[in-house]
Each structure stands twice: as C-alpha cells, then as structure tokens.
Amino acid sequence: MTQSDVRGEGTRRGAGRSARDGTAGAPRGGGHRGGGRARRRAPRRHRVLRWSASTVAVLILVVAGAGYLYYEHLNGNIEKGARTAGDSKAAPSEPNAAGQTPMNILLIGSDSRASDENVKLGGGKNERGNAPLADVQMLIHLSADRKSAAMVSIPRDTRVDIPACKDPDSGKTYPATNDIINVTLGRGGAGCTLATWENLTGVYIDHWMTIDFAGVVRMADAVGGVEVCVNQNVWDRSTAAVHGGSGLKMTKGTHKVQGEQALQWLRTRHAWGSDPMRARAQHMYLNSMLRTLQQQNAFTDAPRLMDLAEAATKSLTVSEEIGTVKKLYDLGKQLKTVPADRITMATMPTDQDPQNANHLVPAGADAEKMWAMLRDDVSFDKKGSPAKKPAAGTGTAEAGSAPAPGDSPAADGDIDVLVRNGTRSTALGPVSGRAATVAGALNAKGFTQAAKDTSPAVSQETTAVRYPSDDLAGDARRVADALGIPASSVRKSADVSGITLVVGSDWRSGTSFPKERTPAAGDLPENSDSLNGSETGKCMDVYKPYQW
C-alpha cells in the first residue's frame, strides 16, 4: 500500500469522524477533542431545558397553590350562621315568566361590644357582656331581572311583633313578644331578626349579613373614603338635655370620611334629630359608597379587589348559604350591574307609637304598600315594568306555590277549613270576630265544614290559605277561589294539620278578599323618604342643639 493510499485512507477516516462529530475539515487530533466537547455539551443543554421546564412547572404550582391558599384564607375569615332562628311563615318568591326570582338580603349593623376593638370604637365598656342590638337594619332587594334594586330601612326603635326564636349557639329559646325591633339580634342572632322581618313584611329573605363597629371601619378604609355632606357645622356630643353622641364633628360642606369618622357618621342620631333621619344619613353614605366602588372598577382592579375581599371577609358574618368568597363575589357582581339610577333607598313609613312617644310603629297602609311592592317585585323607580303575577300552579308545592291545575277538589261541603284571625298588628290591633265572620261567609257559600279558630288573634300581614299535603292542594285552591284570594296566597306548609285560612291584616273587613291593585313602578308612599342612587349633592340638616 502506497503512502498516498495511506493518506487517502486517513483522510477518509478523518472525514468520517468529522461528519459524525460535526467537525468537518478539522485535524484529526482537533477533531477528536472537538468531538469530545460536543458530545459533553449536548446533554448539558438537554439538562438545562429539562431544569427550566421543571422550574416553570414548579412556579405554576406555587402560584396556583398560593392562590388556592389565599382563597382558603379568605374563606377562613368568614363567620357563618343559620339563615333563620325564628318562627317565620314567609314563602320563597315565585319565579317570573323567564324563571328568574328576586333576591332579598338583610343587612344588620350590630352594636356588639364583644371585643376590645368594638369597645374602643363604640364606648360602653360596661356593656361588654350585654346582648347585641341591631341598630341598623336594611333590606336589599335585587329584582328578578337584576335591572333594579331597592334598599329599605326600618328604624331601630320601631315596635313590632317578634316571633319565638331559638339561639343557635346557646340553644336558649325566647318566647314571642312585642318590642322594638333592634332587640331581635340578642334573642337568637341575625336569624331572629330575619324571621321578624319576614313576619312583618311577608317578604321571603334569602340571606343575611351582619357587620359590627370594627367591620365598618375596615370597610370604610378599604374603599378609601366616602363623601358625605352637611348643611351646617355638626358636633354630635352629650348635651345638658341628652347624654351620649357619636362624636362626629365636621364643618359645613362635603367631606370624605373613612375609618372611625365613617362609623361616627353612620351612628349619629341626635344631631340629625330622629332615628328616621339617621336612616337617611346611612342611605346617603351607601349611595356615595356604591358610586365610589363603581368609579374605582373594584371588580376588575385586582389589587383593589383583594383589599376589599380581605376587609369584607374579616368584617362580615353571613348566613351559611353565602358563606364563601365566590358566593359573596357573585352577589357583589349582581349588585354592580344595576345602574345607579335604578337603585332606590327608602325607609319604612312610620307613625309615633301610641304606647311610647320615643318609639315608632309601622304606618299601616303606607308600610303595607311598600312591602307589597317588594313581594310583587315592583321597582321603586319609575323605569320598571308593572308587576307580573305568576299563573296559578307555575311553581312547586314545596317551594310555596299554588296547587297544580290538575288537582281535583272535593265537594265544597266535604272540605274541612279552620279559619284563624291574623289581623292583630302593632299599629292597629286585632279586628274582633274576623275568624267567625269569614267562617260564616264560607258556610254561606256551601263550605259547611268551615269553623273558626277560638285561639287569640295572631299577627300576619298577608292573608294565606295553607295545606299540609299534596292531596289537599285542590281543596285549598277551591277555598281561595270561593273568597277571591289570589293563587299566590295558597301554599303548602308543614305548620298546619289541615286546610287553614289565616285572615291577615290586609283583609280587615268584608267577606270577599279585597281586589289587589297592581302597584305601579315608582309608586312609593310619600312618607318613605326615598333617595335615588343617581342623586348627588344631598346634604344632611343638623338639629340646632348640635350645630357649632
């Protein structure tokens, strides 16, 4: 073999190695070293890629885990309780033609001094062990189509019938009584306040929320302040004539309040002159707060939303059905969709209590008119549509609906009916003999088994026919038809053993149920002190002794 053959063979071998190693044209020795480095470098790149992918995966898991832990942290902040603790007869709202139902939420402001923070903010260190009072009570009504909302206050010193309630924590049972409405919180918690509202109004309330002094301060700080206005310099303080006061002190004009000053604004009563005027000041505050939140885009601004979520979950105690962050967030979003000019705030019309000049009572027909609008989901502003009554039998019996059209009633003379007098009300008192009168009317119409209940009159705002089981649904419907009682007032109930007609305070005379007038949108009583959410520039007048 010649030298040239050796060189050629060597070159071919080198070329072969260079092709495999990616070092074409390199000297054999250099090609060998380069090839070695190349073989070591490739696995390192793969290791880097694998390490990077693993890091990203870990980071994703960490971020997701942190989000989950934060979500669970917020859920852990929320205190919850049973929806009702009292004897309530209100039935769930009927759906509209589109299958939508309104939502009612009771907001309760507690004066509890159960913590050092609340004692510091509210004073009254000697009251620390006292039962809390529900000094602020406001029903938030979201219409079935979520296009309008109403917020209705009952002044804390309003005397009402309070049902029997059981404290869910202690198990203590409180008998039914007649007292001012703010004592309900100490007679079974928020569930007792809810039951009292339901019996007074006939409005089914889906949820409740309570907030204490410290919670108000946290929420006001989280929002960043709320604008309020007074027409004169105000200082709510003790005077020679009246002890106490919130401590609110500000000059005439518009101010942004937050923290403790916001709490002072909401608690002020003497400087406004009355409890209903305090409700007006609270409405102005909430009105301004809602506008502030909408301007801040709180539901789309993540940092703002986190601040509010932290404050809200630490500040609110809620009924157990809405006891998660997601459910509270969904509620907030539903309220946010309502335009400001479709939100109306009002106070239940009241009269002076004939038993105590310092107390109030519901103002009869005017108060009932407001509750009827809520029950029928009629908007408080003039932009809404007239009430649309559900057809008979459109719901389910368990949900408190009218009986189905196919139910066949027995012969009128074979239907047993017990008639109760439910006309006793805080403002007017019972109508004597109503059960006997209506039972007699049924007898005259052929319902010979109808009889009056001889027990004392009870308090029920709205007339209702109740039946215990599905086989009596048709009979109950027949009784209602005979007297002109609407189908929506016929309901299945576990509280009765047979067909029971309770003649409510909405039917105080006559033997035929009064024809219902369909409420008109915006047709609020003049003495409801209503405020539209789009109204700005409203200022409180200061009672002269508290001007400076």
Side-chain angles (χ1 to χ4, degrees):
M1 187 166 55
T2 65
Q3 188 176 3
S4 61
D5 291 332
V6 173
R7 281 199 303 268
E9 187 179 1
T11 301
R12 286 192 299 271
R13 283 198 300 266
R17 285 195 302 270
S18 297
R20 288 193 300 271
D21 297 341
T23 54
R28 184 182 300 175
H32 177 75
R33 287 193 302 271
R37 282 196 301 271
R39 283 191 296 272
R40 287 193 297 271
R41 190 180 300 123
R44 187 177 302 153
R45 282 200 301 270
H46 293 155
R47 286 197 300 271
V48 169
L49 290 173
R50 285 196 300 270
W51 181 87
S52 299
S54 300
T55 302
V56 171
V58 169
L59 286 173
I60 290 171
L61 289 172
V62 168
V63 171
Y68 173 78
L69 290 174
Y70 184 65
Y71 178 77
E72 288 302 300
H73 158 73
L74 292 176
N75 278 334
N77 286 343
I78 303 173
E79 294 186 30
K80 300 179 283 290
R83 188 190 73 86
T84 184
D87 182 16
S88 170
K89 299 295 190 296
S93 304
E94 294 284 353
N96 62 15
Q100 303 164 308
T101 54
M103 181 182 295
N104 297 298
I105 306 161
L106 184 61
L107 178 62
I108 303 168
S110 167
D111 79 340
S112 170
R113 269 81 169 179
S115 68
D116 291 340
E117 191 174 9
N118 281 331
V119 169
K120 180 181 177 182
L121 292 168
K125 62 182 179 181
N126 296 328
E127 301 173 10
R128 181 158 186 161
N130 292 359
L133 298 172
D135 277 353
V136 178
Q137 299 181 33
M138 188 180 302
L139 183 67
I140 302 170
H141 173 87
L142 280 170
S143 65
D145 60 11
R146 301 301 189 263
K147 292 181 179 179
S148 69
M151 300 183 184
V152 182
S153 294
I154 294 181
R156 70 170 192 172
D157 290 336
T158 303
R159 184 167 60 85
V160 297
D161 290 318
I162 301 171
C165 293
K166 183 176 181 180
D167 190 298
D169 297 323
S170 68
K172 181 178 179 179
T173 299
Y174 296 86
T177 188
N178 182 263
D179 206 340
I180 57 175
I181 199 167
N182 74 338
V183 305
T184 54
L185 194 60
R187 296 174 59 85
C192 187
T193 307
L194 180 145
T196 302
W197 270 74
E198 287 192 335
N199 288 347
L200 174 66
T201 66
V203 176
Y204 183 85
I205 301 174
D206 302 272
H207 314 295
W208 54 257
M209 299 180 182
T210 67
I211 188 167
D212 60 13
F213 296 152
V216 170
V217 170
R218 279 193 292 267
M219 288 299 294
D221 285 341
V223 172
V226 173
E227 283 193 351
V228 296
C229 179
V230 287
N231 284 323
Q232 301 87 20
N233 296 347
V234 59
W235 187 7
D236 191 55
R237 66 201 186 283
S238 292
T239 65
V242 181
H243 178 71
S246 70
L248 178 71
K249 187 175 185 180
M250 62 173 57
T251 56
K252 172 183 176 180
T254 301
H255 301 265
K256 180 174 281 189
V257 296
Q258 62 186 100
E260 188 172 354
Q261 194 176 35
L263 176 64
Q264 290 172 339
W265 176 275
L266 294 170
R267 293 186 65 207
T268 293
R269 179 173 56 153
H270 301 316
W272 308 142
S274 70
D275 207 28
M277 289 299 98
R278 175 162 71 167
R280 177 188 290 182
Q282 291 164 353
H283 293 163
M284 288 182 180
Y285 178 92
L286 284 176
N287 214 353
S288 180
M289 183 178 184
L290 287 171
R291 287 197 303 270
T292 300
L293 287 171
Q294 288 178 338
Q295 291 165 2
Q296 291 176 344
N297 294 319
F299 287 88
T300 56
D301 183 337
R304 295 288 301 116
L305 183 59
M306 288 175 67
D307 288 344
L308 287 169
E310 191 73 45
T313 55
K314 285 182 177 178
S315 303
L316 295 171
T317 301
V318 301
S319 56
E320 54 199 2
E321 309 83 17
I322 52 171
T324 68
V325 174
K326 183 182 184 306
K327 290 178 180 178
L328 289 175
Y329 176 77
D330 289 343
L331 280 179
K333 284 184 67 178
Q334 290 183 61
L335 186 57
K336 183 182 180 295
T337 62
V338 180
D341 65 349
R342 298 297 313 277
I343 299 174
T344 306
M345 301 184 182
T347 301
M348 180 190 73
T350 56
D351 291 324
Q352 188 178 71
D353 185 352
Q355 297 182 13
N356 186 330
N358 294 318
H359 294 164
L360 303 166
V361 292
D366 285 339
E368 171 55 27
K369 181 180 183 180
M370 179 176 284
W371 305 138
M373 292 179 74
L374 290 179
R375 289 194 298 267
D376 294 338
D377 196 27
V378 178
S379 67
F380 279 15
D381 67 280
K382 295 183 182 296
K383 295 184 178 182
S385 302
K388 294 182 176 63
K389 295 282 187 181
T394 54
T396 63
E398 290 299 329
S401 70
D407 295 329
S408 298
D412 291 352
D414 293 333
I415 299 176
D416 290 315
V417 186
L418 182 66
V419 183
R420 288 179 180 165
N421 186 351
T423 59
R424 181 171 68 84
S425 72
T426 302
L428 301 175
V431 178
S432 179
R434 281 302 286 158
T437 298
V438 175
L442 280 170
N443 274 265
K445 290 177 180 290
F447 292 84
T448 55
Q449 303 300 314
K452 68 175 183 178
D453 183 2
T454 58
S455 58
V458 296
S459 176
Q460 183 166 307
E461 290 296 317
T462 56
T463 296
V465 180
R466 296 195 173 90
Y467 60 96
S469 55
D470 292 339
D471 61 309
L472 294 176
D475 294 355
R477 173 70 264 151
R478 177 70 193 117
V479 171
D481 284 344
L483 295 170
I485 298 171
S488 58
S489 297
V490 181
R491 302 185 182 279
K492 185 177 178 180
S493 171
D495 296 330
V496 296
S497 57
I499 295 174
T500 304
L501 165 58
V502 184
V503 183
S505 58
D506 59 347
W507 186 15
R508 299 178 67 83
S509 62
T511 55
S512 292
F513 189 76
K515 290 184 178 180
E516 293 181 296
R517 182 179 69 84
T518 302
D523 189 20
L524 282 170
E526 291 184 4
N527 52 348
S528 62
D529 196 29
S530 62
L531 176 70
N532 187 272
S534 62
E535 294 183 69
T536 59
K538 294 285 185 178
C539 299
M540 288 297 298
D541 283 318
V542 181
Y543 185 38
K544 195 167 182 61
Y546 298 92
Q547 297 178 17
W548 62 279

